[in-house]
Amino acid sequence: MPSTTTANAPASGSSSVAARTMPAPATTVTAGPSSLAASPAPTAASRWGWFGVITLVTVGIDQWTKVLAVRHLPVEPWSYFNDTCRLQLAYNTGAFLGMAGTWSESARFWLLTVLNGIFLVGLAGVLVWPWRMPLGRFIAGAGILAGGIGNMIDRVTNDGKVTDFMNLGLVSVRTGIFNVADMAITGGALLLAWYWMREEQTAANQSANPV
């Protein structure tokens, strides 16, 4: 009789064990703006926590530095780092960087105190309302709110004037005189703008490459 050879098939049990014991590929998580944008919406408890921390820290530092500026800074600027940074005391009756400063007192009151106060209350409601908002966008909004509160305290307690004391620039190109609250507002606005551009780019990519 002709001899027959039979190939030995691998045992299914050993292959399944090997599959189960294969190590999973390592994943690397990179921190940064993209990971912040992809982070889930904060829970109700963490929402209040972020809201409280950002507001208290920003308003606290803003008011503390303003007190120091009033007590120690002259009207004439102190120059540092080859005139890149200047510290000088100034009172702003207008909006950001002095805008609307030449308006009448009544117009400034209605715009910068009443309407601005309504805007801040509305923004606070949006932030604490339990709806899904990415963490990075929530932090940006909280920064804008905290900066607005810091300057609003000045307007209410200092006859409509906001205390400013910092100025940055190179050669003849300089910013206006600003404060910590202005920095929080600007930082929050820039972060929101980055979110908007990122969402626009994502929408454009999805339109160009439909599933």
Side-chain angles (χ1 to χ4, degrees):
M1 291 181 64
S3 61
T4 59
T5 59
T6 304
N8 293 327
S12 59
S14 60
S15 62
S16 61
V17 171
R20 289 197 298 270
T21 56
M22 282 288 290
T27 57
T28 302
V29 178
T30 304
S34 297
S35 60
L36 188 63
S39 58
T43 62
S46 64
R47 185 184 299 270
W48 281 104
W50 279 106
F51 181 83
V53 169
I54 293 173
T55 302
L56 291 176
V57 170
T58 303
V59 174
I61 294 176
D62 175 67
Q63 294 298 304
W64 175 61
T65 52
K66 287 173 177 175
V67 169
L68 292 179
V70 171
R71 290 180 179 177
H72 302 292
L73 288 182
V75 177
E76 295 299 321
W78 290 351
S79 179
Y80 300 92
F81 308 112
N82 197 26
D83 204 33
T84 301
C85 176
R86 295 177 184 174
L87 297 180
Q88 67 181 107
L89 180 63
Y91 294 102
N92 180 14
T93 59
F96 181 67
L97 299 179
M99 292 184 293
T102 59
W103 292 12
S104 67
E105 183 177 351
S106 175
R108 292 198 308 269
F109 171 77
W110 283 102
L111 174 66
L112 303 177
T113 302
V114 177
L115 293 181
N116 188 34
I118 294 173
F119 168 76
L120 294 177
V121 171
L123 178 57
V126 169
L127 291 174
V128 300
W129 188 262
W131 66 295
R132 296 187 61 81
M133 178 188 295
L135 179 58
R137 188 179 296 175
F138 179 86
I139 292 174
I144 295 174
L145 176 63
I149 292 174
N151 283 337
M152 181 62 72
I153 292 174
D154 282 26
R155 297 190 189 281
V156 173
T157 61
N158 197 25
D159 196 25
K161 298 188 290 290
V162 174
T163 302
D164 292 332
F165 57 90
M166 288 184 286
N167 178 280
L168 301 176
L170 292 173
V171 193
S172 60
V173 179
R174 308 201 65 86
T175 67
I177 306 176
F178 58 94
N179 55 41
V180 173
D182 295 332
M183 295 170 62
I185 294 171
T186 303
L190 290 175
L191 184 55
L192 283 180
W194 177 85
Y195 263 96
W196 177 80
M197 290 187 293
R198 185 177 181 275
E199 290 172 352
E200 289 292 314
Q201 184 62 45
T202 301
N205 292 340
Q206 291 176 348
S207 298
N209 302 292
V211 178

